[in-house]
Amino acid sequence: MKEKFMREAIRLSLSKMRGGCGGPFGAVVVRKGKIIGRGWNQVTSTNDPTAHAEVTAIRAACQKLKTFQLDDCELYTSCEPCPMCLSAIYWARFQKVYYANTRKDAAKIEFDDDLIYREVAQPISQRLIPMKQLLRVEALKVFTEWKNKPDKVRY
């Protein structure tokens, strides 16, 4: 069964790449033995740098289930997730992730996420893109209000 789901992720990666949707990546979200979300790389076709296969599959599954948590689901993806997708996977709270190609395989075809993996581990002051803090006191007021908000939905 696992191979069937991975083959669907791989099929999506090939067909959507051939169709001009974006890079060679596909993903499916599975819940209780059924595919509930399909995704493929749509970065270049939608001009959205966040439209990776895993993210689009997560969006589709969440929309179908009308939830923001996929804690009873598994993700099958044609390639080891990049740092952004890995973060989305943790936010969605998947039970398990299966992947086919590795990040080293992706780097060989010029999809190298190593820079981002290294940047995340750097102190903010040493990152390549300068980051400067502004108006923290003003922003903290919003956090205080959120902390005290009685009807908030935790996530």
Side-chain angles (χ1 to χ4, degrees), residues 5-14 17 23-28 39-41 52-54 75-81 97-103 105-106 109:
F5 298 132
M6 185 59 76
R7 284 191 180 100
E8 176 61 5
I10 294 168
R11 184 196 71 75
L12 283 167
S13 72
L14 181 62
M17 176 197 67
F25 305 97
V28 295
W40 52 90
N41 185 282
H52 290 200
E54 297 91 339
L75 179 71
Y76 292 78
T77 180
S78 65
C79 187
E80 182 180 354
V97 175
Y98 297 92
Y99 64 94
N101 292 316
T102 67
R103 62 195 249 201
D105 297 327
I109 61 165

Side-chain angles (χ1 to χ4, degrees), residues 88-126:
I89 288 163
Y90 275 94
W91 280 114
R93 295 173 173 79
F94 279 97
Q95 282 183 350
K96 192 172 242 183
V97 175
Y98 297 92
Y99 64 94
N101 292 316
T102 67
R103 62 195 249 201
K104 289 183 181 182
D105 297 327
K108 289 176 185 174
I109 61 165
E110 300 178 7
F111 287 96
D112 193 354
D113 301 323
D114 197 48
L115 169 70
I116 302 169
Y117 279 105
R118 287 191 319 265
E119 282 289 291
V120 168
Q122 290 283 5
I124 291 173
S125 63
Q126 294 178 22

Side-chain angles (χ1 to χ4, degrees), residues 15-47:
S15 68
K16 298 303 183 176
M17 176 197 67
R18 286 179 176 169
C21 292
F25 305 97
V28 295
V29 176
V30 175
R31 181 179 185 232
K32 298 178 182 175
K34 292 187 176 188
I35 294 174
I36 57 157
R38 286 177 170 80
W40 52 90
N41 185 282
Q42 299 172 43
V43 170
T44 58
S45 60
T46 63
N47 295 315

Side-chain angles (χ1 to χ4, degrees), residues 46-88:
T46 63
N47 295 315
D48 179 352
T50 69
H52 290 200
E54 297 91 339
V55 171
T56 60
I58 290 168
R59 289 173 181 163
C62 289
Q63 186 173 11
K64 181 172 185 165
L65 296 177
K66 297 180 179 14
T67 185
F68 52 83
Q69 289 190 333
L70 301 172
D71 52 355
D72 60 347
C73 298
E74 297 176 334
L75 179 71
Y76 292 78
T77 180
S78 65
C79 187
E80 182 180 354
C82 75
M84 177 187 69
C85 293
L86 185 60
S87 297

